[in-house]
């Protein structure tokens, strides 16, 4: 199994993989058009010539990027691929000079293992929610916002940590 940047030849498999989990309401579906248009953002995991994982790093602003469309094929869960895909996004964000990486997710335990912390959604900039109009859960979103801080200094005001006090 190896991790590499996606190519246009991967789009069909990526869409299928993402679509499986989107059907379960775990993530947003991605059209082929949106995948082609953002293909440079994506990293994939490949095993025996098959795409078994995908993750996209989407830059939102000077100091903020988002991990989107993170998916690992069910038969490859628990083998470290999700971690390697997110770490590759972190490396890319750091290379780009970005201080914070966002994930909107139900997989809080997974992202906590990778160093993300839960933050209050209301403290995130409005541009984060641009794509939410595409979501079926627009008016009843229950995803958790989590942030990873790279080693790049941020000029933005800190988002509030959601850890309960006391
Ligand atoms: C979430 C997902 C990407 C994890 O991928 P994975 O390859 O199974 O995860 P890894 O094997 O890399 O796990 C990395 C670490 O997280 C832990 N972990 C993985 N899934 C976990 C879960 N559901 N709950 C708690 N911990 C989890 C692992 O034990 C591992 O810990 P360690 O490295 O400290 O031993 C995968 O389950 C998936 O594709 N889920 C469906 C789609 C989805 O929900 N995507 C997220 C959208 S934001």
């Amino acid at each position: 199994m190896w991790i590499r940047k996606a190519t246009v030849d991967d789009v069909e498999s990526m869409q299928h993989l993402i679509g499986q989990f989107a059907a379960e309401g775990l993530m947003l579906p991605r059209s082929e058009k949106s995948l082609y248009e953002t293909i440079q953002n994506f990293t994939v995991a490949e095993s025996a010539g098959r795409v078994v994982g995908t993750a996209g790093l989407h830059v939102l602003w000077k100091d903020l990027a988002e991990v989107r469309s993170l998916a690992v094929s069910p038969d490859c869960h628990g083998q470290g691929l999700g971690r390697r895909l997110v770490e590759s996004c972190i490396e890319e964000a750091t290379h780009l000079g970005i201080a914070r990486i966002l994930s909107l997710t139900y997989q809080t335990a997974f992202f906590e293992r990778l160093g993300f912390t839960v933050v209050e959604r209301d403290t995130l900039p409005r541009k984060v929610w641009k794509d939410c109009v595409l979501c079926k859960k627009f008016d009843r979103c229950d995803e958790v916002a989590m942030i990873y801080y790279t080693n790049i200094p941020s000029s933005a005001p800190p988002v509030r940590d959601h850890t309960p006090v006391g």
Side-chain angles (χ1 to χ4, degrees):
M1 293 187 197
W2 57 303
I3 306 288
R4 60 169 173 77
K5 288 300 287 180
T7 74
V8 287
D9 291 335
D10 299 321
V11 163
E12 209 175 308
S13 310
M14 290 163 65
Q15 197 203 12
H16 180 70
L17 187 55
I18 294 165
Q20 279 181 354
F21 294 117
E24 295 174 35
L26 291 174
M27 57 203 299
L28 279 178
R30 294 274 163 211
S31 67
E32 281 191 326
K33 180 176 185 293
S34 90
L35 288 172
Y36 283 123
E37 284 176 353
T38 58
I39 193 68
Q40 300 100 317
N41 295 350
F42 279 91
T43 298
V44 293
E46 182 183 322
S47 173
R50 183 170 70 101
V51 171
V52 293
T54 174
L57 180 81
H58 296 254
V59 178
L60 295 170
W61 204 247
K62 182 181 175 187
D63 58 0
L64 186 63
E66 181 181 354
V67 175
R68 291 188 189 163
S69 305
L70 170 68
V72 171
S73 183
D75 59 317
C76 296
H77 282 180
Q79 298 176 38
L81 285 182
R83 174 184 282 280
R84 287 169 66 192
L85 285 163
V86 174
E87 284 174 351
S88 147
C89 291
I90 292 171
E91 198 178 310
E92 208 168 315
T94 307
H95 174 75
L96 288 167
I98 293 170
R100 301 179 298 165
I101 305 172
L102 167 71
S103 173
L104 295 170
T105 187
Y106 300 113
Q107 305 285 350
T108 48
F110 166 80
F111 279 101
E112 269 166 5
R113 302 288 293 175
L114 276 91
F116 285 67
T117 50
V118 175
V119 295
E120 283 186 29
R121 297 151 48 103
D122 295 349
T123 57
L124 293 167
R126 289 179 66 170
K127 50 193 161 281
V128 165
W129 312 112
K130 183 174 79 70
D131 278 1
C132 293
V133 288
L134 305 171
C135 182
K136 282 191 288 189
K137 294 186 181 173
F138 175 63
D139 52 354
R140 53 191 162 89
C141 175
D142 52 357
E143 286 185 327
V144 177
M146 301 185 78
I147 291 276
Y148 180 95
Y149 297 90
T150 69
N151 57 14
I152 307 286
S154 172
S155 53
V159 283
R160 280 203 301 277
D161 192 322
H162 198 248
T163 311
V165 179

